[in-house]
Amino acid sequence: MITLGIDIGGSATKGALVDTVSGRMVSDRIRFETEAPVKPREVAALVEKIRKKLGYHGPIGAGYPGVVKNGVALTAANLHKNWIGTDVGALIYNQTGQITTVLNDADAAGLAEMRFGVEEARRHKTVLFLTIGTGIGSALFVNGHLLPNTELGHLKIRGKDAEHRASDAVRQRDNLSWKRWGKAFTELLQTYEFLFNPDLIILGGGISSKYDSFAEYLKVDTKILPAKLENTAGIIGAGMAAQESSELRDQESSAS
Ligand code: BGC
């Protein structure tokens, strides 16, 4: 099945058609940069632009960078505060006319990575997936099952949000060397390790393609692997979520 996967971000909204069987993008990735802090209506208009450009009709999946419950955004760390309380699924549906499933962006990326990315992830009991970009997102899997909406980027470490210590945005803003950033990020990893004792940590987001530059500076006992799908995971995972919801709707309607 082909669906439209959307990745809403602090600095850009991206989308592509996703083949949910192979886990691949089957169109160009369309990306629109936005000025921070982006508002809900601006993003909905961009999703419609992406949909039209791709000539797509069908279920949409969207990864949102905050806590999402039943399609409603409950937080908005790197976006406009107007998002809080917004039914993001309804917002996008009203703009596009297509049924839309919304989930946390790191959860979406983690789901894609577990299914189509790092192969050995499926052999571990507890896997912590982290995405490092404007913020730090997390997805925690136990026996392949996701615990949704973990917000480990906002865990306070020595009084400060983890993502304010070692996101990729902080690295770029402060012009940190890989060594210095690696040291700051190690503090986060050691805290997560202490609290959750995962068997594997996967690092995703744009930074995962530069893994070789900083791997030597990460000092933890847990095995770490870079994500395979890099920054396409969010779109692919959102596309997968759209397909799963569409299957559920079909099952419900054939049962009634
Ligand atoms: C948000 C998370 C999100 C992460 C990555 C954080 O600021 O709170 O929900 O997954 O950024 O976008």
Side-chain angles (χ1 to χ4, degrees):
M1 182 177 182
I2 306 291
T3 59
L4 173 57
I6 298 285
D7 188 9
I8 302 169
S11 52
T13 290
K14 296 139 272 179
L17 298 181
V18 175
D19 177 338
T20 58
V21 176
S22 68
R24 286 174 196 277
M25 298 197 316
V26 289
S27 73
D28 285 344
R29 189 173 76 125
I30 300 175
R31 176 190 165 97
F32 289 108
E33 308 246 321
T34 47
E35 273 192 22
V38 70
K39 289 185 180 168
R41 262 187 300 142
E42 290 172 63
V43 168
L46 293 179
V47 174
E48 174 61 353
K49 247 174 136 173
I50 293 172
R51 184 192 74 81
K52 275 199 174 147
K53 235 180 161 174
L54 295 170
Y56 175 80
H57 294 271
I60 297 179
Y64 170 82
V67 174
V68 180
K69 287 199 173 180
N70 300 318
V72 178
L74 300 184
T75 65
N78 297 302
L79 306 178
H80 196 279
K81 298 297 166 223
N82 279 1
W83 284 93
I84 298 173
T86 297
D87 185 332
V88 184
L91 172 84
I92 298 178
Y93 173 79
N94 288 337
Q95 185 85 43
T96 62
Q98 316 300 311
I99 294 183
T100 303
T101 305
V102 186
L103 73 170
N104 172 263
D105 59 350
D107 286 351
L111 285 166
E113 205 54 61
M114 292 294 287
R115 171 115 37 111
F116 299 112
V118 174
E119 217 170 86
E120 77 163 82
R122 295 188 283 280
R123 294 201 297 272
H124 290 282
K125 195 171 169 68
T126 312
V127 179
L128 175 60
F129 172 80
L130 296 171
T131 159
I132 308 146
T134 311
I136 291 181
S138 55
L140 190 57
F141 294 88
V142 181
N143 293 331
H145 294 288
L146 169 70
L147 173 66
N149 286 314
T150 56
E151 283 286 331
L152 299 190
H154 296 289
L155 193 73
K156 293 265 189 273
I157 294 183
R158 288 185 295 115
K160 193 164 156 183
D161 273 25
E163 73 175 27
H164 294 153
R165 290 197 172 276
S167 66
D168 197 32
V170 168
R171 182 185 68 85
Q172 292 180 31
R173 186 197 65 200
D174 296 349
N175 210 2
L176 298 180
S177 63
W178 285 117
K179 191 174 178 182
R180 283 201 58 195
W181 178 81
K183 201 173 164 208
F185 192 66
T186 290
E187 191 179 13
L188 272 54
L189 290 178
Q190 287 177 346
T191 308
Y192 299 154
E193 187 177 51
F194 171 73
L195 290 172
F196 300 103
N197 291 293
D199 302 307
L200 174 70
I201 298 174
I202 303 176
L203 301 182
I207 213 171
S208 54
S209 59
K210 300 171 195 141
Y211 184 68
D212 288 345
S213 313
F214 61 81
E216 62 182 300
Y217 304 119
L218 305 181
K219 311 266 185 250
V220 279
D221 294 331
T222 311
K223 181 168 188 181
I224 300 183
L225 288 174
K228 264 204 182 154
L229 305 176
E230 297 180 2
N231 54 0
T232 63
I235 291 178
I236 294 170
M240 286 163 59
Q243 189 246 337
E244 269 163 36
S245 309
S246 145
E247 275 174 13
L248 272 177
R249 280 191 303 275
D250 288 351
Q251 281 168 16
E252 279 165 13
S253 67
S254 61
S256 62

